[in-house]
Every structure is written in C-alpha cells, then in structure tokens.
Amino acid sequence: MKLFSSVLLCSATLLVLLSSSVSGHAPDSASGAIFGFRDAAAENATEARFLAVPDPKLAEEHLRTLTQAPHMAGTPEDEATAKYVAQKFRDAGLDTEIVEYKVWINYPLEISVDITAPEGVEMHGPTREHVDGDAYDEDPRVVMPFNGMSPSGDAEAEVVYANYGTPEDFEKLEKLKIDVRGKIVLVRYGQNFRGVKEFIAQEHGAAGVIIYSDPYDDGWRRGDKYPAGPWRPDTGVQRGSVGYMFEFPGDPTTPGIASLPSLPESKRISPDKSAQMPKIPITPLSYHDAWPILQHLAGPDSPREWQGALPFTYHVGPGPVRVKMHLKQDYQFRTLWDVIGRLRGSDSPGEWVVAGNHRDAWVYGAVDPNSGTAAMLEAVHGVGELLKSGWKPKRTMIFASWDGEEEGLMGSTEWAEQYESELANAPAYFNMDVAVSGPKFGASSVPSLKQFIRDVTKAVPSPKGGTVYEAWQKVDQPGSSSTQSPNEAIGDGRRMPAVTVKSDVPVGDLGSGSDYSVFQQHLGVPSSDMSSSGPYGVYHSVFDNFAWFKKFGDPDFTYEQEMARIFGLEALRMADADVLPYDYEEYGKEVAAYLDAAGKRAESKFGNHALDFNAVTLAAKHFQDAGTKILAKQRNPPRDLARLNQALRNTERALLVPEGLPHRPWFRHAIYAPGEYTGYAAVVIPGVNEALDKGDAERARQQLTVLTAALERAAKVLEGYR
Ligand SMILES: [Zn+2]
C-alpha cells in the first residue's frame, strides 16, 4: 500500500505545470500549442480553471454515498443512486433526465452445489462471503453469489477440471482422452471472459459449469488476502454475467433496438431464442468451496501449468467426485435507470461528445464501477464551475451514468440504440469503469485517439509528481516488463496489450467488457477506456466495498482526482476543439501491423500465397497516406473548418461494414470486435482473423475483400477533403 500526499493545486500552480508539461511527443510540441486548437492560451486558461476543481474530499463523499448499500441493477437502492447522480448533474447545471429501459435479467432464488459422491466427501459450503473485521457482508441485501444470465436448471454428473476453459484447454483434454460430454466442467476464473468459458463448455457438450477463483490468480498466491491485503479471501466469490455478449450486448430480447418501457412484447424476441442466452447451468464458487471438489478428482495429473495454488496436485478427472448443481433463477423484465446530463453545444449542438460510466454494481461496487462514478461526478463538478464563469462548450457534451452494465452492457447499449441516428455525428465516446484500484494509469482506445489520450495526460498532474504522462512513461516504456496490469494477469482487465507501432507509451485496443462496445463496435463512434490500477483481488465480491477502497485502492482519493481531471479534460478538449484531434496516420500504421500478423498466420495455415493480401495491404497504405495528408491539414488548418471536421468525423464510421461480421451482424466494425473465444480481448480485423481461426480459407478470402472495401471507403472520406 502506498500513500501519496494530496495534490490539490490552485490554478496558478497549474498554469505553470501546464506550460512546462505540454511538450515532448505532442504533434505541435515545438509551438507549445494544443493539437486541434487555434488559441492555445485561451484553451490553457479554460483547462486550468477546470483542473483546479475536482476535489479528493468530495470524491470520497460521492463514493461513500454511492456504496452505502448494495445496488444491483433494477433494485430500489440502484434507483436511489440514480437520483443522487441526477442531483449532482443538476447542481452542476446539466440538463438532466433519468431514462428508463425494461430489460430481461435474473436474480437468484435458489443456488446450491453439493457433492453427491464419493461418500463422506462434503462441500465446505456454499459459504457466505465473510472475513472477520469487515461488516459489509452482513447486509441482507447482499445478493448470493450467482452468474447473471445463467439459466435455471439442475445437473448432476462427474466433474472434469478444465483449467481456464479456453479452446486450447479443451483441446488438451481431448488429447488426454477426457470426454467432457455430460460432465460438469470445473474451470477457474482468468484469461478470458466467463461467458466464453460457458460458451466453449456448451459447445463441447458439458452438462454444467462451475467457475471458481483460484488463489493462484487473485488470492493469497499474489499477496496478503483481505483484510490484511488487497487480494481475494477464501470465501470471496466473483459474480458476473455469462451472457454471450460477443453475439450482441444489451437486453437479450432486443438486439439493435431500444428496450423502451413502451416497446410491445411482439417487437421483442423470446429470451429462449436469444443468441445471447447460455443453455447449460453455470454458477461461481469461492476457492474455499471448490477445494473439496478439486481435491477429490482422480484421473491423470493435470498439465503442470494448470496447477493452481491449492495444496494438492490437481487432477483432471472425470470423477470420481460427482456434483449436483441446483439453480433457480428469477427472470423478469426489470427497470433500468440511466442518468443522462447534457450541455448544449453553442456552435455544433448536433455533435454529441459522450462520456460515461456505469453505476450499477453486483454488490457495493467501490472500485467497479463507483470509483468511476465518483471521478465522473468531480469531472462534472469542474465543468459546472466553467459554466458558471460563462463558458459554453462548442459541441454538445453528454455525461451518462449507465445502469445494467454488469448484466450485459445494457443501459449504454439500449440508450445508444435509441439515439443511433443522432450518434452518427458523435465525435467521441469516453468510458471509465473500474476507474481506480491503484496508482498505475493505463488506457485503451481506437488508434485515432491514442495520441489524443497521451496529450491529455501531459496536461494533468500525477499524485507521484510531474504529469500523469511522465508517470505513465516510467512504468510503461515500450519493452518494459511491467506493461501487464494485475487485472490483465487475472484476465478481468479490459485493457489488452497493444500492438504499438509508435515508440511511446502503449495505449491498448478495445475489446469488450464495458460500455464503449455499442459506440465503437456497433455505431463507429471513436471510443476509449481508461483506469488507474493496482493489486485488486476483490472484483465482483462483497469485499469490493468502501473499507477496501479506503485501505488499498486510493486512501486519500488523489487518484480519483487524477481520473476526474483526465476524464473531464478528454470531454472538454473534444467538445471545444477547433479541429478534431484524431490521428489517422497512427490508425493506418496499426492496421498495417494487424495485416502483417494476419498474413503470417495465413501462410502458416494455408501455405504461401494461398491468400492474396496485396489488395488489402494497398488499401491500408492508401488509408495511412490519406491519414498523413490530413494530419498536415489538421496542423495547419484552413479558415473554413466545417468540411475538414466533417471528413474527420465520418472516417471511423466508414470502417463499419453494413452487413456486420459473419454470424453476428450486430458487430459492424471492420477493425475491432470482442473475440468469440476471448470475450474481453479485442480481435483485430475480426472478419479475417476469425476465418483464419476456423481454418476457413474461402471465408478469409471473402472477408479480405470486405476489409479492403472498408479501408478504401475510409481513405476516400479522408481524401474527400482537399
Ligand atoms: Zn464494471
């Protein structure tokens, strides 16, 4: 645990800091200007006024209030947090409404896992999540551990251990001649999205799935467990949705349309026909409860890298231990409350800059997601102070507090589906979810925004001293061994290592797992996500509460202040920029790197020249060159900016494929999608790469053509401006 002194700076100090910090890698570093602005001095002054406002003490108060009770989506406590956020938005002067949607989600009624053989072997539980010295688990509103979107059902069978439940893990079981058909598959959390574990087990004919948290991944093997340290205690369980969000996110009954309360049932698809709903029962356990199941597996020793940190050799089974799962879920259409706060743009009210964070939590959600909500509220506080001084944004700014993210990115997806036509002109979506769990800054975004994010962090002071950018450089130098955050290590991180073609701090690629999905992958709105992370082993458990946060996350709330400043500055700069600050040259370079990697994979799969990458490589080069040319115009802008900005804005959307990806039309982006077999992690140029995964040369050929056309479209949009 590190403690950092407060860095509440007055505006004067900040101005000094700003002028010294805007340097280095910024495109206009020589002139000290801020990329995209004609009057850097005026912008600097506005930003300094904003940066002086976000307050650690107020962030602490927000977090304490938001996390005083468990507030799962659709509960009265969730509605109470919506009202709190709405009031803060109104206090800041935002035009605010609470928007309702009706979505199909489950609460658990009865969940049990029992050992039925061999005789005399018993479960240690299921045990209530509990540690001495933390009273949060005593609240009767704490929902019992369960998986969102898991079906009701009973299953009784021998158990097979399948490590993380990846495709490779199931291949290994096949090699060991272990048949998982009709068995209950026991997997550990980590490496991929939990819904993917369920999806793959279902594909392989399993009867049920149990997911547990191994101490190797986020328990005592990593460090002291809570409350002595930040890692998962014995009884801690990771809840979480297992909906197939890589098919489409949002309400499972309304892909592509908004689940308004007025939507007639006839317009919805029946939940049992929804591609998003898993078919076999799945439920989570703590390692305390999984212990006797694992311990009594016989059969071959598991491959050595499958061994977790429990003190016996892990075997793969099947059996002789048998388990009976009994799940009774209460599925209903339940109400979500998104809070939407607007500031109308003075010049371009039809261009919406959207910045959002979800508010609903599995339990208390101190880190996930309310560390983001508290930071967002302080960003809104700062914008409110600017408003009072007479400032108005040029473009419309929208702050959004999403609901139902945990069940399946529902609040954001339904809202964005409702406003699809308006969002066609949106310059950007900025996301925060697990905003603060420690001191290490990281971000992921579409390539056109990577430099923008680096530039924003050059203007924000770090609690460690210097700027956030400088602190980021120290830990995330290209090639440094510390670029993997603890969350990535346990597979729950939303950021994935980037294919970074620039020698600068790496900004990751967007996969899925948070609310940017609909904006980036369905609507083509350039998006980003960010977090300040540290050792965090209580994800989605009752222990992700205010006491944990105060002890381990951010004791003096200075990283909350940092994130509020960065989040607010992203939105402010984008809303006020004279020239939209995208970098399409970096985008082109990244796509070229993806193609290079895919070309090598294609060769190893199908042999030399089986697939022709020439046309697509030329298209990527064309796109990159167009990006280089327009970057010169952005740095030296003409008097009339409207057409330049329009071309810049339309480029990302030109990368959408109208018919969508094969088998999952909701995902329309030609460059990024969540992987069907990775879930959180991005699959880049997904049409091509997933065809290669399947060994389908014909589909790969067809997808290369689709990709070529998308890149040519984007290049032409950029070139359309001369
Ligand atoms: Zn979250």
Side-chain angles (χ1 to χ4, degrees):
M1 179 177 83
K2 289 178 186 161
L3 283 164
F4 297 93
S5 57
S6 172
V7 286
L8 241 190
L9 299 170
C10 70
S11 348
T13 330
L14 266 171
L15 275 172
V16 174
L17 212 150
L18 279 165
S19 50
S20 66
S21 68
V22 180
S23 64
H25 300 263
D28 296 270
S29 54
S31 59
I34 303 172
F35 185 45
F37 288 87
R38 282 184 156 144
D39 187 345
E43 176 61 14
N44 265 329
T46 305
E47 293 190 359
R49 278 208 307 280
F50 165 76
L51 289 168
V53 180
D55 181 341
K57 283 275 160 281
L58 291 176
E60 179 166 357
E61 193 183 306
H62 300 316
L63 191 70
R64 192 191 303 276
T65 307
L66 290 162
T67 60
Q68 65 194 358
H71 52 286
M72 188 166 55
T75 61
E77 293 77 15
D78 173 35
E79 188 180 15
T81 59
K83 287 180 177 157
Y84 178 80
V85 168
Q87 191 54 51
K88 295 294 163 194
F89 279 10
R90 286 185 190 114
D91 291 350
L94 271 55
D95 181 9
T96 303
E97 55 176 343
I98 296 182
V99 185
E100 295 188 1
Y101 297 100
K102 282 253 188 263
V103 298
W104 184 250
I105 55 178
N106 60 316
Y107 295 164
L109 287 175
E110 295 166 16
I111 305 278
S112 64
V113 176
D114 291 299
I115 294 174
T116 56
E119 218 157 307
V121 177
E122 278 185 22
M123 292 288 287
H124 294 171
T127 326
R128 191 168 60 99
E129 291 184 289
H130 175 76
V131 293
D132 289 336
D134 181 295
Y136 285 82
D137 56 58
E138 282 155 25
D139 192 303
R141 293 168 295 188
V142 172
V143 71
M144 69 178 94
F146 77 114
N147 284 127
M149 298 292 134
S150 170
S152 291
D154 291 274
E156 185 183 350
E158 285 183 328
V159 175
V160 171
Y161 173 58
N163 196 30
Y164 293 109
T166 66
E168 297 74 34
D169 292 334
F170 280 91
E171 274 165 33
K172 253 190 196 143
L173 284 174
E174 265 163 44
K175 280 193 193 127
L176 291 165
K177 306 261 184 295
I178 307 291
D179 189 352
V180 301
R181 275 177 298 177
K183 303 291 193 293
I184 289 176
V185 171
L186 176 66
V187 291
R188 52 172 161 162
Y189 273 114
Q191 300 238 336
N192 56 10
F193 168 56
R194 64 186 88 71
V196 166
K197 299 172 194 286
E198 166 85 344
F199 182 69
I200 300 170
Q202 182 179 304
E203 272 189 341
H204 283 78
V209 179
I210 295 171
I211 323 184
Y212 80 104
S213 301
D214 198 285
Y216 179 89
D217 299 291
D218 66 0
W220 50 260
R221 182 66 180 73
R222 306 291 305 268
D224 277 332
K225 58 197 182 190
Y226 187 67
W231 296 102
R232 192 176 299 274
D234 304 13
T235 58
V237 187
Q238 182 188 137
R239 294 159 185 78
S241 175
V242 291
Y244 297 163
M245 284 171 248
F246 39 86
E247 302 290 345
F248 65 90
D251 179 359
T253 73
T254 63
I257 56 170
S259 290
L260 293 166
S262 59
L263 187 75
E265 205 133 325
S266 60
K267 291 266 165 77
R268 295 176 182 261
I269 55 172
S270 143
D272 47 284
K273 296 209 173 63
S274 171
Q276 199 195 86
M277 304 295 281
K279 300 278 186 281
I280 56 173
I282 173 165
T283 211
L285 287 183
S286 65
Y287 56 80
H288 176 266
D289 287 345
W291 187 310
I293 305 174
L294 259 172
Q295 193 172 12
H296 290 90
L297 281 174
D301 288 8
S302 67
R304 282 306 74 205
E305 66 277 16
W306 290 22
Q307 176 74 39
L310 294 176
F312 47 80
T313 298
Y314 292 21
H315 294 254
V316 293
V321 65
R322 288 177 70 86
V323 156
K324 180 174 161 40
M325 301 172 67
H326 167 69
L327 312 185
K328 195 168 162 196
Q329 315 282 1
D330 175 17
Y331 270 99
Q332 288 183 32
F333 285 106
R334 293 190 161 90
T335 302
L336 299 183
W337 299 277
D338 284 353
V339 186
I340 307 294
R342 273 165 221 269
L343 284 179
R344 195 180 147 83
S346 56
D347 291 2
S348 310
E351 294 178 30
W352 297 0
V353 173
V354 187
N357 148 262
H358 78 91
R359 191 188 66 252
D360 66 297
W362 284 119
V363 194
Y364 297 96
V367 171
D368 179 10
N370 297 127
S371 64
T373 319
M376 176 166 76
L377 289 179
E378 278 312 287
V380 166
H381 180 200
V383 171
E385 292 303 307
L386 288 185
L387 276 182
K388 282 184 200 153
S389 74
W391 166 92
K392 281 193 178 66
K394 290 195 183 112
R395 300 181 179 82
T396 293
M397 291 173 85
I398 295 182
F399 287 95
S401 169
W402 310 120
D403 202 353
E405 189 271 356
E406 294 294 3
E407 283 71 10
L409 320 180
M410 295 198 181
S412 56
T413 302
E414 300 311 319
W415 185 83
E417 287 174 342
Q418 183 176 354
Y419 294 101
E420 174 165 353
S421 54
E422 290 84 350
L423 289 166
N425 294 314
Y429 172 68
F430 300 111
N431 194 62
M432 258 194 314
D433 183 343
V434 182
V436 179
S437 61
K440 189 179 162 236
F441 181 79
S444 47
S445 78
V446 70
S448 53
L449 288 178
K450 289 184 177 181
Q451 189 56 41
F452 171 77
I453 291 167
R454 293 183 194 114
D455 289 347
V456 165
T457 63
K458 289 172 188 172
V460 175
S462 164
K464 303 181 191 92
T467 66
V468 174
Y469 180 75
E470 286 159 356
W472 187 8
Q473 271 184 318
K474 275 180 200 142
V475 288
D476 263 347
Q477 286 291 3
S480 96
S481 57
S482 65
T483 52
Q484 193 184 45
S485 84
N487 282 353
E488 285 157 5
I490 63 167
D492 294 310
R494 271 98 184 173
R495 294 198 323 277
M496 298 308 292
V499 176
T500 304
V501 293
K502 233 172 174 163
S503 62
D504 203 333
V505 287
V507 179
D509 295 326
L510 291 171
S512 190
S514 196
D515 291 306
Y516 51 79
S517 207
V518 66
F519 293 95
Q520 181 65 44
Q521 295 152 352
H522 188 59
L523 301 178
V525 178
S527 300
S528 81
D529 192 23
M530 61 172 182
S531 64
S532 181
S533 61
Y536 171 49
V538 295
Y539 174 67
H540 286 186
S541 77
V542 76
F543 309 112
D544 183 354
N545 57 41
F546 189 80
W548 184 97
F549 192 87
K550 191 73 187 147
K551 215 166 163 185
F552 302 110
D554 185 16
D556 53 16
F557 287 74
T558 50
Y559 288 93
E560 280 288 322
Q561 180 186 43
E562 173 191 300
M563 295 305 271
R565 286 168 164 165
I566 300 172
F567 191 65
L569 209 53
E570 285 179 329
L572 275 178
R573 273 200 188 169
M574 192 55 77
D576 272 351
D578 298 307
V579 178
L580 288 168
Y582 309 127
D583 180 348
Y584 278 106
E585 185 183 48
E586 183 163 0
Y587 210 139
K589 284 183 189 166
E590 295 226 359
V591 172
Y594 303 154
L595 284 170
D596 211 44
K600 287 188 183 118
R601 290 185 66 213
E603 263 181 35
S604 73
K605 288 230 169 202
F606 306 119
N608 280 1
H609 312 301
L611 290 178
D612 184 357
F613 276 72
N614 278 329
V616 77
T617 305
L618 283 174
K621 182 83 176 83
H622 187 188
F623 177 48
Q624 185 187 323
D625 289 346
T628 307
K629 279 184 200 138
I630 207 157
L631 205 50
K633 297 258 167 53
Q634 288 167 276
R635 284 176 180 147
N636 200 355
R639 194 176 294 273
D640 174 24
L641 296 169
R643 282 183 53 242
L644 176 60
N645 282 330
Q646 193 185 11
L648 288 164
R649 231 178 30 239
N650 289 341
T651 305
E652 187 74 42
R653 262 165 296 270
L655 292 167
L656 293 180
V657 176
E659 67 274 20
L661 295 180
H663 314 307
R664 37 182 192 154
W666 189 91
F667 286 100
R668 298 193 284 216
H669 203 281
I671 315 296
Y672 298 102
E676 275 187 291
Y677 292 96
T678 57
Y680 290 137
V683 170
V684 299
I685 50 169
V688 174
N689 271 322
E690 293 194 325
L692 294 178
D693 288 341
K694 295 258 180 229
D696 187 339
E698 194 41 53
R699 193 167 116 195
R701 233 167 254 130
Q702 183 246 333
Q703 287 298 310
L704 280 170
T705 309
V706 171
L707 178 59
T708 305
L711 291 167
E712 288 293 353
R713 269 198 309 278
K716 288 210 177 80
V717 171
L718 289 174
E719 285 177 343
Y721 177 76
R722 282 186 198 277

